[in-house]
Amino acid sequence: MPEQGLFPIGSRALIYQVDCPFDLPHQQRIWAMAEEVSTWKCVAEAATGMTNLALRLKDVPPDLDILEMRLDALWQSGRTKTLTGKVLDIDITYGGAGGPHIHEVAEMTGLGIDELVRRHAAPSYTVFAVGSHAGYCYLGGLDPRLQTPRRKVPLQNLPGGSLSVAGLQTGVSASAGPSGWNTIGTADTVFFDPMREPAALLVPGDQIRFRPVEVIA
């Protein structure tokens, strides 16, 4: 993504991207922006992303420069919003057929499998945003020792329930699809069900705790 600014993604859809660290205090500023911007008369919907805000407008904007100035001023205000939601414990099988890259991650991080699993399962992860695909949660709180690069050749079809890491992020795929992350485990959790109300299991501010039930080295 570009460093910072307002970028059209359609005639009435925009992304406001900010250049900031990937951490909870800055994401709380994104949450506050979403709350405020959703009250603007020109905005039909404001959705939080990772260090960005997606806007769906009611009409084609007559002047993007003015809109960007308003968004810049709101971001610079430093206003934050704290979200406190539910905590979900998720059973994880680390390694094995559902975690084919766990040895690669161990090699990249210089950690043994048991220490890798211990560090990954230790935090309570905050849901920063929900997106990418229906029900998928972007999580904050990964141990920096587990930071790894994306895969040079993405997987064409990662199964739903796959637990992966990349950069300073980790998450469980809500459905099958392509992925460039490193898969270290699997979960049996339904994150999105269109027949359920609400359809998405988690929202920003909720927390996830991973519970190792088996480690297959």
Side-chain angles (χ1 to χ4, degrees):
M1 292 289 291
E3 285 191 355
Q4 183 155 341
L6 188 62
F7 306 96
I9 54 175
S11 61
R12 292 184 296 137
L14 307 162
I15 290 285
Y16 181 71
Q17 177 73 33
V18 296
D19 182 18
C20 69
F22 173 70
D23 58 24
L24 183 57
H26 285 90
Q27 192 65 17
Q28 288 173 331
R29 290 171 65 179
I30 296 291
W31 293 344
M33 286 190 70
E35 181 180 58
E36 172 66 23
V37 170
S38 64
T39 67
W40 293 359
K41 291 182 179 180
C42 63
V43 175
E45 182 181 12
T48 57
M50 294 304 305
T51 68
N52 64 66
L53 187 66
L55 305 179
R56 183 169 60 85
L57 305 180
K58 295 177 182 178
D59 299 296
V60 176
D63 194 326
L64 287 180
D65 289 339
I66 292 178
L67 181 58
E68 184 168 4
M69 288 175 59
R70 293 182 67 188
L71 290 165
D72 285 340
L74 185 56
W75 173 253
Q76 294 301 329
S77 73
R79 176 186 170 191
T80 65
K81 179 177 178 62
T82 299
L83 298 175
T84 302
K86 58 184 175 293
V87 178
L88 178 67
D89 290 326
I90 299 178
D91 291 344
I92 298 291
T93 297
Y94 285 88
H101 307 137
I102 194 167
H103 288 281
E104 294 178 42
V105 172
E107 183 177 352
M108 285 187 284
T109 59
L111 299 171
I113 298 296
D114 289 343
E115 179 65 8
L116 188 160
V117 171
R118 186 192 70 79
R119 285 176 177 267
H120 187 270
S124 291
Y125 295 93
T126 300
V127 178
F128 278 14
V130 178
S132 176
H133 58 276
Y136 181 77
C137 298
Y138 287 98
L139 306 177
L142 184 69
D143 188 322
R145 280 294 306 275
L146 302 182
Q147 183 174 356
T148 57
R150 291 173 178 264
R151 302 190 66 77
K152 293 181 179 179
V153 180
L155 301 179
Q156 293 185 359
N157 190 30
L158 189 70
S162 296
L163 170 67
S164 304
V165 293
L168 280 175
Q169 297 186 63
T170 188
V172 180
S173 298
S175 59
S179 173
W181 291 23
N182 303 296
T183 304
I184 61 172
T186 186
D188 185 18
T189 302
V190 179
F191 286 91
F192 184 82
D193 182 353
M195 303 306 294
R196 185 174 59 198
E197 181 59 41
L201 181 61
L202 297 169
V203 297
D206 288 342
Q207 291 189 326
I208 286 178
R209 294 184 303 207
F210 295 119
R211 183 167 53 194
V213 295
E214 187 176 10
V215 178
I216 304 173

